[in-house]
């Protein structure tokens, strides 16, 4: 395997392990994970700095609420107040509910969701600052939790349930972050396309001292008429240096 690929995969594994441990990982755990790469101290320090920048504590958990905005803190407070009104279950009651859910009891599975809602909120804080709202992270996590309680029949013992459910929650949140990151890249590509056409249209319009048609712009710029019309459409027909009839696009 390529060294750079192995490094990236190992770093992602370390980040995932840290989140599963409450956003904390030991220095020795990090060093052991990268053993195969034979890193020096300078390289390890760069890794520790990277983890700290992503609010992962080395040896000591980072405070997940440190970077929350006022709006996020307010939302979390209201959300927790709502959770406080839900029934509370003891450890023994939770185990009974888990066993029943494993046996296919739908009511027990729904009650089990209530047991772990606060945990979902805690996990969501670990992913704040990655371009998505805390409220959306909690929403995605709750959906994954609900789905997960219906899949407990695959477990051997009820003790495995918390780990399985929280892994599903984390997977859902990470998938949501990736999806939004992809959407952000797509939005940037769209903006770049519109800006590129607008810039060329402005230059040509200044030369011709009038607005230009899409056909003229295609002829003079070397861009295809299809790409120009697509940019016009994406801009909502707002590229000011282009003259066109809206009903013909």
């Amino acid at each position: 395997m390529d060294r750079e690929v192995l490094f990236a995969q190992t770093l992602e594994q370390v980040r995932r392990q840290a989140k599963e441990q409450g956003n904390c990982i030991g220095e020795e755990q990090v060093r052991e994970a990268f053993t195969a790469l034979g890193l020096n101290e300078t390289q390890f320090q760069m890794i520790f700095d990277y983890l700290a920048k992503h609010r992962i504590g080395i040896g000591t958990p980072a405070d997940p609420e440190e970077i929350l905005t006022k709006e996020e803190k307010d939302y979390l407070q209201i959300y927790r107040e709502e959770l406080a009104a839900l029934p509370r279950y003891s450890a023994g009651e939770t185990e009974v509910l888990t066993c029943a859910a494993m046996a296919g009891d739908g009511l027990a599975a729904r009650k089990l969701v209530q047991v772990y809602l606060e945990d979902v909120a805690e996990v969501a804080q670990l992913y704040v600052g990655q371009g998505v709202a805390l409220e959306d992270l909690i929403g995605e996590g709750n959906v994954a939790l609900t789905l997960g309680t219906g899949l407990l029949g695959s477990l051997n013992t009820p003790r495995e349930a918390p780990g399985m459910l929280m892994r599903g929650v984390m997977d859902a949140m990470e998938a949501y972050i990736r999806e939004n990151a992809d959407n952000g890249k797509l939005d940037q590509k769209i903006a770049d396309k519109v800006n590129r056409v607008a810039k060329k249209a402005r230059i040509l319009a200044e030369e011709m001292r009038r607005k230009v048609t899409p056909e003229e712009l295609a002829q003079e710029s070397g861009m295809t008429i299809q790409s120009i019309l697509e940019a016009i459409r994406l801009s909502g027909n707002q590229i000011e240096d282009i003259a066109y009839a809206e009903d013909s696009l």
Side-chain angles (χ1 to χ4, degrees), residues 87-107:
R88 295 289 176 175
Y89 299 98
S90 67
E93 290 171 330
T94 298
E95 185 171 353
V96 170
L97 288 174
T98 303
C99 290
M102 290 171 62
D105 187 328
L107 177 59

Side-chain angles (χ1 to χ4, degrees), residues 16 30 88 112 129 164 184 209 241 245:
R16 182 61 182 263
V30 177
R88 295 289 176 175
L112 200 59
M164 172 187 168
R209 297 186 179 182
D241 292 305

Side-chain angles (χ1 to χ4, degrees), residues 4-224:
E4 286 75 15
V5 173
L6 178 58
F7 179 88
Q9 290 180 348
T10 305
L11 186 59
E12 181 57 31
Q13 291 169 2
V14 166
R15 286 187 60 186
R16 182 61 182 263
Q17 182 179 2
K19 290 187 183 299
E20 291 177 350
Q21 296 174 172
N23 229 27
C24 175
I25 193 166
E27 180 177 332
E28 288 306 314
Q29 288 179 302
V30 177
R31 293 182 180 278
E32 182 177 351
F34 285 94
T35 299
L37 288 165
L39 304 182
N40 58 38
E41 284 304 311
T42 299
Q43 292 168 319
F44 271 117
Q45 189 57 55
M46 292 175 64
I47 293 172
F48 294 138
D49 290 344
Y50 170 86
L51 295 174
K53 186 179 297 184
H54 284 76
R55 299 176 303 285
I56 294 175
I58 306 299
T60 303
D63 182 358
E65 295 195 18
E66 276 187 356
I67 66 162
L68 294 183
T69 64
K70 181 180 183 304
E71 290 75 16
E72 288 171 333
K73 289 179 180 179
D74 290 343
Y75 170 79
L76 197 57
Q77 179 178 347
I78 294 172
Y79 183 73
R80 283 171 170 164
E81 289 173 356
E82 293 175 351
L83 293 185
L86 297 176
R88 295 289 176 175
Y89 299 98
S90 67
E93 290 171 330
T94 298
E95 185 171 353
V96 170
L97 288 174
T98 303
C99 290
M102 290 171 62
D105 187 328
L107 177 59
R110 290 192 292 275
K111 290 182 178 180
L112 200 59
V113 169
Q114 298 176 350
V115 173
Y116 293 103
L117 287 175
E118 177 65 27
D119 292 331
V120 172
E122 295 298 323
V123 171
Q125 293 180 71
L126 305 180
Y127 291 96
V128 168
Q130 299 189 51
V132 295
L134 174 64
E135 181 177 356
D136 292 336
L137 287 170
I138 291 176
E140 292 294 317
N142 287 346
V143 170
L145 173 63
T146 302
L147 293 175
T149 57
L151 301 174
L152 296 179
S154 62
L155 300 181
N156 295 315
T157 70
R159 292 182 181 181
E160 298 172 336
M164 172 187 168
L165 292 174
M166 288 305 106
R167 282 193 298 273
V169 166
M170 294 173 70
D171 286 342
M173 292 182 184
E174 291 175 6
Y176 183 71
I177 290 171
R178 287 194 301 271
E179 178 183 341
N180 279 269
D182 290 342
N183 288 340
K185 292 176 183 177
L186 178 59
D187 291 342
Q188 186 59 51
K189 288 181 179 179
I190 291 173
D192 289 344
K193 175 182 287 188
V194 172
N195 290 335
R196 184 167 59 253
V197 171
K199 182 177 179 180
K200 291 183 179 296
R202 183 173 63 253
I203 293 172
L204 185 58
E206 288 174 353
E207 292 177 357
M208 302 180 72
R209 297 186 179 182
R210 62 172 173 80
K211 291 185 176 183
V212 299
T213 66
E215 290 76 15
E216 289 173 330
L217 183 57
Q219 183 176 356
E220 296 295 326
S221 69
M223 302 175 69
T224 66

